[in-house]
Amino acid sequence: MAAGTAAALLAALGGILWLAARRFVGSSVQRLHQGGDSGLMRGKTVLITGANSGLGRATAAELLRLGARVIMGCRDRERAEEAAGQLRREVWPTGGPDSGPTSGGAGELVVKELDLSSLSSVRSFCQEMLQEEPRLDVLINNAGVFQCPYMKTEDGFEMQFGVNHLGHFLLTNLLLGLLKSSAPSRIVVVSSKLYKYGDINFEDLNSEQSYNKSFCYSRSKLANILFTRELARRLEGTSVTVNVLHPGIVRTNLGRHIHIPLLVRPLFNLVSWAFFKTPEEGAQTAVYLASSPEVEGVSGKYFGDCKEEELLPKAMDESVARKLWDISEVMVGILK
């Protein structure tokens, strides 16, 4: 019996390692192919929210290598400056952009403070952007809160809906003028496949009647998609495009609020190593939508693994998208 159990475990481990090796090779080829043109984003300014860790950090690194000027919009300035220092050492090992033959024309990195759980912080950030930045070529709405205990933002909104949807809704609207004057420009919204388990309950958007952290996260991700599609409709004819993506299952600190029993952690770590994407792999679709000529002029679409994917009908409901937009305008104070 013991021998049989050991053999089964070894077989399972071998299968995991084999699958991991296959995925690693495939992802490496994809990244190498995509990163071929080191000057693709030269002269372009990109704003990434939540760029100090996880997907945002990996996206920033890739776009820096493509020559972009990257603005990191982060809640914790100290952590953002630390991450920026690490990124500079990774991307510019010789000491700085254009400082050596291996720099490849890599871009510039700027840190700005942005707390998406505070509408006043969003407004102050956008005011600073409009005063200091002559152009904005790409906005990547990446920052997010994942399945946290019930808590509220500074303005009294449920945290996941407030940060993942409302904070980015206000940010995007306040920067639309700059994006339009910089056209052709792009907006990239990071959602999740978990949108499938969410719904928009207009009677309880703030989750005050009931709260389930998983369902509320899915609701915020569904709101991201509905927002993208409605914004694409409103931006027709402006040369500003907006698309939404899911990155897949990625190994990041986004799941810090999820409790994994101590005895299960070794197995979970093994499975996540074998089957979850690295942040660099997960960032590829965001980089693709921000930079690739293949999606020039494409707007209002949903992408995964750098390919367009179909949405469930509830994510394409135009009447729900318009109603959510109208209510969101009131919630963030665009309309009184």
Side-chain angles (χ1 to χ4, degrees), residues 201-226:
N201 178 6
F202 288 110
E203 302 304 315
D204 190 27
L205 281 179
N206 217 28
S207 302
E208 293 177 334
Q209 298 173 18
S210 64
Y211 181 72
N212 179 293
K213 62 183 182 180
S214 299
F215 292 152
C216 285
Y217 177 76
S218 296
R219 171 187 293 173
S220 72
K221 295 291 102 178
L222 175 59
N224 289 158
I225 297 172
L226 292 167

mmCIF file of all heavy atoms in Angstrom, residues 201-226:
data_model
loop_
_atom_site.group_PDB
_atom_site.id
_atom_site.type_symbol
_atom_site.label_atom_id
_atom_site.label_comp_id
_atom_site.label_asym_id
_atom_site.label_seq_id
_atom_site.Cartn_x
_atom_site.Cartn_y
_atom_site.Cartn_z
ATOM 1 N N ASN A 201 -26.235 44.285 -8.653
ATOM 2 C CA ASN A 201 -27.456 44.469 -7.873
ATOM 3 C C ASN A 201 -27.587 45.960 -7.567
ATOM 4 O O ASN A 201 -26.971 46.464 -6.624
ATOM 5 C CB ASN A 201 -27.391 43.647 -6.586
ATOM 6 C CG ASN A 201 -28.620 43.829 -5.717
ATOM 7 O OD1 ASN A 201 -29.586 44.488 -6.120
ATOM 8 N ND2 ASN A 201 -28.591 43.263 -4.519
ATOM 9 N N PHE A 202 -28.396 46.654 -8.358
ATOM 10 C CA PHE A 202 -28.524 48.104 -8.188
ATOM 11 C C PHE A 202 -29.189 48.484 -6.866
ATOM 12 O O PHE A 202 -29.096 49.634 -6.446
ATOM 13 C CB PHE A 202 -29.300 48.703 -9.362
ATOM 14 C CG PHE A 202 -28.523 48.717 -10.640
ATOM 15 C CD1 PHE A 202 -28.868 47.874 -11.692
ATOM 16 C CD2 PHE A 202 -27.441 49.573 -10.809
ATOM 17 C CE1 PHE A 202 -28.142 47.890 -12.883
ATOM 18 C CE2 PHE A 202 -26.716 49.591 -11.994
ATOM 19 C CZ PHE A 202 -27.066 48.746 -13.035
ATOM 20 N N GLU A 203 -29.834 47.514 -6.219
ATOM 21 C CA GLU A 203 -30.474 47.782 -4.939
ATOM 22 C C GLU A 203 -29.481 47.737 -3.781
ATOM 23 O O GLU A 203 -29.774 48.195 -2.674
ATOM 24 C CB GLU A 203 -31.602 46.765 -4.692
ATOM 25 C CG GLU A 203 -32.675 46.751 -5.770
ATOM 26 C CD GLU A 203 -33.309 48.109 -5.982
ATOM 27 O OE1 GLU A 203 -33.636 48.770 -4.962
ATOM 28 O OE2 GLU A 203 -33.473 48.519 -7.143
ATOM 29 N N ASP A 204 -28.291 47.173 -4.039
ATOM 30 C CA ASP A 204 -27.311 47.040 -2.950
ATOM 31 C C ASP A 204 -25.882 47.059 -3.509
ATOM 32 O O ASP A 204 -25.080 46.174 -3.231
ATOM 33 C CB ASP A 204 -27.555 45.736 -2.173
ATOM 34 C CG ASP A 204 -26.744 45.657 -0.887
ATOM 35 O OD1 ASP A 204 -26.417 46.726 -0.326
ATOM 36 O OD2 ASP A 204 -26.437 44.531 -0.454
ATOM 37 N N LEU A 205 -25.563 48.085 -4.282
ATOM 38 C CA LEU A 205 -24.219 48.182 -4.858
ATOM 39 C C LEU A 205 -23.153 48.299 -3.777
ATOM 40 O O LEU A 205 -21.995 47.908 -4.003
ATOM 41 C CB LEU A 205 -24.128 49.400 -5.793
ATOM 42 C CG LEU A 205 -24.728 49.250 -7.192
ATOM 43 C CD1 LEU A 205 -24.578 50.551 -7.965
ATOM 44 C CD2 LEU A 205 -24.062 48.103 -7.949
ATOM 45 N N ASN A 206 -23.515 48.828 -2.628
ATOM 46 C CA ASN A 206 -22.555 49.026 -1.546
ATOM 47 C C ASN A 206 -22.486 47.836 -0.587
ATOM 48 O O ASN A 206 -21.794 47.893 0.437
ATOM 49 C CB ASN A 206 -22.891 50.292 -0.752
ATOM 50 C CG ASN A 206 -21.652 51.025 -0.296
ATOM 51 O OD1 ASN A 206 -20.600 50.952 -0.918
ATOM 52 N ND2 ASN A 206 -21.766 51.728 0.818
ATOM 53 N N SER A 207 -23.226 46.764 -0.919
ATOM 54 C CA SER A 207 -23.200 45.510 -0.139
ATOM 55 C C SER A 207 -23.508 45.737 1.340
ATOM 56 O O SER A 207 -22.894 45.116 2.213
ATOM 57 C CB SER A 207 -21.835 44.824 -0.293
ATOM 58 O OG SER A 207 -21.551 44.553 -1.636
ATOM 59 N N GLU A 208 -24.443 46.612 1.618
ATOM 60 C CA GLU A 208 -24.810 46.873 3.007
ATOM 61 C C GLU A 208 -25.873 45.909 3.517
ATOM 62 O O GLU A 208 -25.982 45.675 4.720
ATOM 63 C CB GLU A 208 -25.282 48.326 3.148
ATOM 64 C CG GLU A 208 -24.147 49.332 2.912
ATOM 65 C CD GLU A 208 -24.622 50.781 2.982
ATOM 66 O OE1 GLU A 208 -25.811 51.002 2.712
ATOM 67 O OE2 GLU A 208 -23.801 51.655 3.297
ATOM 68 N N GLN A 209 -26.646 45.331 2.600
ATOM 69 C CA GLN A 209 -27.662 44.355 3.001
ATOM 70 C C GLN A 209 -27.047 42.983 3.229
ATOM 71 O O GLN A 209 -27.442 42.256 4.133
ATOM 72 C CB GLN A 209 -28.764 44.280 1.937
ATOM 73 C CG GLN A 209 -29.512 45.595 1.747
ATOM 74 C CD GLN A 209 -30.478 45.537 0.582
ATOM 75 O OE1 GLN A 209 -30.843 44.458 0.109
ATOM 76 N NE2 GLN A 209 -30.907 46.700 0.099
ATOM 77 N N SER A 210 -26.075 42.623 2.409
ATOM 78 C CA SER A 210 -25.356 41.361 2.575
ATOM 79 C C SER A 210 -23.992 41.493 1.917
ATOM 80 O O SER A 210 -23.824 42.252 0.954
ATOM 81 C CB SER A 210 -26.129 40.198 1.945
ATOM 82 O OG SER A 210 -26.233 40.373 0.538
ATOM 83 N N TYR A 211 -22.999 40.755 2.442
ATOM 84 C CA TYR A 211 -21.641 40.831 1.901
ATOM 85 C C TYR A 211 -21.019 39.447 1.805
ATOM 86 O O TYR A 211 -20.945 38.712 2.787
ATOM 87 C CB TYR A 211 -20.754 41.718 2.773
ATOM 88 C CG TYR A 211 -19.330 41.845 2.250
ATOM 89 C CD1 TYR A 211 -19.058 42.600 1.111
ATOM 90 C CD2 TYR A 211 -18.271 41.195 2.885
ATOM 91 C CE1 TYR A 211 -17.765 42.714 0.632
ATOM 92 C CE2 TYR A 211 -16.964 41.316 2.404
ATOM 93 C CZ TYR A 211 -16.721 42.076 1.272
ATOM 94 O OH TYR A 211 -15.437 42.188 0.783
ATOM 95 N N ASN A 212 -20.614 39.102 0.605
ATOM 96 C CA ASN A 212 -19.823 37.910 0.355
ATOM 97 C C ASN A 212 -18.590 38.371 -0.408
ATOM 98 O O ASN A 212 -18.707 38.900 -1.519
ATOM 99 C CB ASN A 212 -20.622 36.884 -0.464
ATOM 100 C CG ASN A 212 -19.820 35.631 -0.771
ATOM 101 O OD1 ASN A 212 -18.848 35.681 -1.515
ATOM 102 N ND2 ASN A 212 -20.231 34.512 -0.214
ATOM 103 N N LYS A 213 -17.419 38.194 0.183
ATOM 104 C CA LYS A 213 -16.217 38.790 -0.403
ATOM 105 C C LYS A 213 -15.917 38.254 -1.801
ATOM 106 O O LYS A 213 -15.408 38.996 -2.652
ATOM 107 C CB LYS A 213 -15.020 38.599 0.516
ATOM 108 C CG LYS A 213 -14.611 37.162 0.791
ATOM 109 C CD LYS A 213 -13.456 37.118 1.776
ATOM 110 C CE LYS A 213 -12.992 35.687 2.040
ATOM 111 N NZ LYS A 213 -11.862 35.653 3.015
ATOM 112 N N SER A 214 -16.245 36.996 -2.051
ATOM 113 C CA SER A 214 -15.996 36.427 -3.378
ATOM 114 C C SER A 214 -16.945 37.015 -4.420
ATOM 115 O O SER A 214 -16.527 37.431 -5.500
ATOM 116 C CB SER A 214 -16.142 34.902 -3.339
ATOM 117 O OG SER A 214 -15.208 34.335 -2.461
ATOM 118 N N PHE A 215 -18.234 37.040 -4.090
ATOM 119 C CA PHE A 215 -19.221 37.578 -5.024
ATOM 120 C C PHE A 215 -18.996 39.069 -5.269
ATOM 121 O O PHE A 215 -19.194 39.553 -6.390
ATOM 122 C CB PHE A 215 -20.640 37.327 -4.509
ATOM 123 C CG PHE A 215 -21.033 35.872 -4.502
ATOM 124 C CD1 PHE A 215 -21.965 35.385 -3.601
ATOM 125 C CD2 PHE A 215 -20.461 34.980 -5.400
ATOM 126 C CE1 PHE A 215 -22.322 34.043 -3.578
ATOM 127 C CE2 PHE A 215 -20.816 33.635 -5.398
ATOM 128 C CZ PHE A 215 -21.736 33.165 -4.483
ATOM 129 N N CYS A 216 -18.590 39.789 -4.239
ATOM 130 C CA CYS A 216 -18.371 41.226 -4.403
ATOM 131 C C CYS A 216 -17.159 41.514 -5.280
ATOM 132 O O CYS A 216 -17.153 42.483 -6.046
ATOM 133 C CB CYS A 216 -18.229 41.895 -3.042
ATOM 134 S SG CYS A 216 -19.811 42.056 -2.179
ATOM 135 N N TYR A 217 -16.140 40.679 -5.172
ATOM 136 C CA TYR A 217 -15.008 40.823 -6.096
ATOM 137 C C TYR A 217 -15.471 40.579 -7.530
ATOM 138 O O TYR A 217 -15.142 41.356 -8.442
ATOM 139 C CB TYR A 217 -13.893 39.845 -5.739
ATOM 140 C CG TYR A 217 -12.731 39.903 -6.714
ATOM 141 C CD1 TYR A 217 -11.818 40.962 -6.673
ATOM 142 C CD2 TYR A 217 -12.557 38.929 -7.694
ATOM 143 C CE1 TYR A 217 -10.761 41.029 -7.579
ATOM 144 C CE2 TYR A 217 -11.510 38.989 -8.596
ATOM 145 C CZ TYR A 217 -10.616 40.039 -8.531
ATOM 146 O OH TYR A 217 -9.585 40.102 -9.439
ATOM 147 N N SER A 218 -16.239 39.514 -7.731
ATOM 148 C CA SER A 218 -16.737 39.201 -9.075
ATOM 149 C C SER A 218 -17.622 40.327 -9.602
ATOM 150 O O SER A 218 -17.571 40.659 -10.790
ATOM 151 C CB SER A 218 -17.523 37.883 -9.040
ATOM 152 O OG SER A 218 -16.676 36.804 -8.690
ATOM 153 N N ARG A 219 -18.418 40.931 -8.726
ATOM 154 C CA ARG A 219 -19.251 42.064 -9.137
ATOM 155 C C ARG A 219 -18.379 43.215 -9.632
ATOM 156 O O ARG A 219 -18.679 43.835 -10.660
ATOM 157 C CB ARG A 219 -20.114 42.534 -7.967
ATOM 158 C CG ARG A 219 -20.858 43.847 -8.256
ATOM 159 C CD ARG A 219 -21.554 44.376 -7.020
ATOM 160 N NE ARG A 219 -22.634 43.499 -6.622
ATOM 161 C CZ ARG A 219 -23.329 43.635 -5.494
ATOM 162 N NH1 ARG A 219 -23.024 44.600 -4.649
ATOM 163 N NH2 ARG A 219 -24.308 42.805 -5.208
ATOM 164 N N SER A 220 -17.305 43.507 -8.918
ATOM 165 C CA SER A 220 -16.437 44.620 -9.323
ATOM 166 C C SER A 220 -15.764 44.341 -10.659
ATOM 167 O O SER A 220 -15.543 45.248 -11.459
ATOM 168 C CB SER A 220 -15.383 44.899 -8.240
ATOM 169 O OG SER A 220 -14.386 43.894 -8.185
ATOM 170 N N LYS A 221 -15.455 43.075 -10.918
ATOM 171 C CA LYS A 221 -14.807 42.708 -12.183
ATOM 172 C C LYS A 221 -15.812 42.726 -13.339
ATOM 173 O O LYS A 221 -15.455 43.057 -14.470
ATOM 174 C CB LYS A 221 -14.143 41.339 -12.056
ATOM 175 C CG LYS A 221 -12.991 41.297 -11.051
ATOM 176 C CD LYS A 221 -11.776 42.099 -11.522
ATOM 177 C CE LYS A 221 -11.593 43.435 -10.921
ATOM 178 N NZ LYS A 221 -10.375 44.147 -11.383
ATOM 179 N N LEU A 222 -17.061 42.372 -13.056
ATOM 180 C CA LEU A 222 -18.116 42.525 -14.063
ATOM 181 C C LEU A 222 -18.330 43.999 -14.356
ATOM 182 O O LEU A 222 -18.510 44.401 -15.523
ATOM 183 C CB LEU A 222 -19.407 41.883 -13.562
ATOM 184 C CG LEU A 222 -20.651 42.054 -14.439
ATOM 185 C CD1 LEU A 222 -20.428 41.483 -15.834
ATOM 186 C CD2 LEU A 222 -21.868 41.397 -13.766
ATOM 187 N N ALA A 223 -18.281 44.825 -13.325
ATOM 188 C CA ALA A 223 -18.424 46.275 -13.514
ATOM 189 C C ALA A 223 -17.304 46.815 -14.397
ATOM 190 O O ALA A 223 -17.539 47.706 -15.228
ATOM 191 C CB ALA A 223 -18.412 46.983 -12.156
ATOM 192 N N ASN A 224 -16.089 46.285 -14.255
ATOM 193 C CA ASN A 224 -14.974 46.697 -15.126
ATOM 194 C C ASN A 224 -15.299 46.466 -16.600
ATOM 195 O O ASN A 224 -15.004 47.303 -17.455
ATOM 196 C CB ASN A 224 -13.704 45.915 -14.789
ATOM 197 C CG ASN A 224 -13.076 46.290 -13.467
ATOM 198 O OD1 ASN A 224 -12.329 45.513 -12.885
ATOM 199 N ND2 ASN A 224 -13.356 47.492 -12.964
ATOM 200 N N ILE A 225 -15.905 45.323 -16.882
ATOM 201 C CA ILE A 225 -16.216 44.982 -18.274
ATOM 202 C C ILE A 225 -17.348 45.858 -18.805
ATOM 203 O O ILE A 225 -17.282 46.383 -19.933
ATOM 204 C CB ILE A 225 -16.573 43.492 -18.392
ATOM 205 C CG1 ILE A 225 -15.365 42.632 -17.991
ATOM 206 C CG2 ILE A 225 -17.011 43.151 -19.816
ATOM 207 C CD1 ILE A 225 -15.674 41.147 -17.884
ATOM 208 N N LEU A 226 -18.395 46.028 -18.019
ATOM 209 C CA LEU A 226 -19.513 46.876 -18.438
ATOM 210 C C LEU A 226 -19.039 48.319 -18.650
ATOM 211 O O LEU A 226 -19.459 48.993 -19.600
ATOM 212 C CB LEU A 226 -20.624 46.820 -17.393
ATOM 213 C CG LEU A 226 -21.343 45.465 -17.263
ATOM 214 C CD1 LEU A 226 -22.176 45.439 -15.996
ATOM 215 C CD2 LEU A 226 -22.209 45.191 -18.492
#
